[in-house]
Amino acid sequence: MTENKKTWRTSGALIAAATAGAFGVGLFASPAQAHTPEWEVTCSQVSLDLTNYGSKADNTVNVTVDGKDLLPTETFQREFHKKLELPEHSKESTVRLVVKAGDGDQYSRDEKKTAPVCEGAPKPSVSPKPTPSASSPSSAATPSSAPSAAATSAAAVPVPSSKPGADSGDLAETGSSSATPVIAGAAAVVIVAGAGLVWATRRRRGSAQG
């Protein structure tokens, strides 16, 4: 009987210790599983899986991409699951998750992740720099309103008139050249000389007859 009592006492102590150990493990395991914010970021999507949050207080979640709201602040209890489509982007984007736990700031989260660029996404275009031209387009396109110096000087020079002036003493041109007076003088000399010869001949004849 004495040995049986000792055996039962030993077994009871072992059972009590095992129960206490299991209860203690449960107590320590619960906080480890509570408030589990799981989230993933790809090139095109953000996946949220928030579990084991308190149900007696409101919890909030907010997601931004490069400072702009992708998920405006929403209130949830216990769990929150959602997939968000990222806008198209040609460079890496910064995704920020902010979770505020209603049962204590120690369970809140403020984390950032990078969304890579998807394959085949259009790359940002780089506009070429304008090449300066040799002449200014404004000066070439806009005609000058002021007359040029050459045009001004040409307008200032008087153009000689082809008609003689009214007070001019020269005779009008008749088509004769400058040699006409010389020819006329020579003809007059010939005529005078001929007349002289005729007069001399007649005088000789008159003397001979007498």
Side-chain angles (χ1 to χ4, degrees):
M1 293 295 294
T2 304
E3 293 180 359
N4 289 335
K5 289 182 180 180
K6 289 182 179 181
T7 301
W8 279 107
R9 287 177 181 175
T10 303
S11 299
L14 292 174
I15 293 172
T19 303
F23 182 73
V25 170
L27 289 178
F28 284 106
S30 296
Q33 294 178 355
H35 305 86
T36 307
E38 297 289 341
W39 67 302
E40 294 181 358
V41 177
T42 65
C43 69
S44 61
Q45 189 174 257
V46 178
S47 300
L48 301 176
D49 292 297
L50 312 177
T51 57
N52 297 321
Y53 278 80
S55 59
K56 294 182 180 180
D58 292 336
N59 310 291
T60 60
V61 55
N62 172 253
V63 180
T64 59
V65 178
D66 294 332
K68 297 181 180 179
D69 279 339
L70 180 64
L71 174 68
T73 302
E74 288 192 16
T75 302
F76 70 97
Q77 291 183 349
R78 294 187 62 82
E79 296 182 359
F80 184 86
H81 303 279
K82 200 163 191 176
K83 292 184 178 181
L84 308 170
E85 296 295 329
L86 286 172
E88 293 185 1
H89 50 282
S90 56
K91 61 180 181 180
E92 292 184 347
S93 299
T94 301
V95 183
R96 180 184 181 187
L97 170 69
V98 178
V99 179
K100 293 185 179 180
D103 54 350
D105 290 339
Q106 68 273 21
Y107 302 119
S108 299
R109 292 288 185 273
D110 189 345
E111 301 175 356
K112 293 181 180 180
K113 291 185 179 182
T114 300
V117 179
C118 295
E119 294 182 2
K123 296 182 180 180
S125 59
V126 179
S127 58
K129 295 182 179 179
T131 303
S133 59
S135 61
S136 175
S138 59
S139 60
T142 305
S144 176
S145 59
S148 61
T152 305
S153 60
V157 176
V159 179
S161 175
S162 60
K163 296 181 180 180
D167 56 349
S168 175
D170 298 335
L171 297 176
E173 294 184 1
T174 59
S176 61
S177 64
S178 60
T180 300
V182 178
I183 296 174
V189 172
V190 171
I191 292 172
V192 172
L197 290 175
V198 172
W199 178 79
T201 302
R202 288 180 177 179
R203 187 173 181 182
R204 286 179 183 177
R205 287 179 181 180
S207 298
Q209 291 178 2

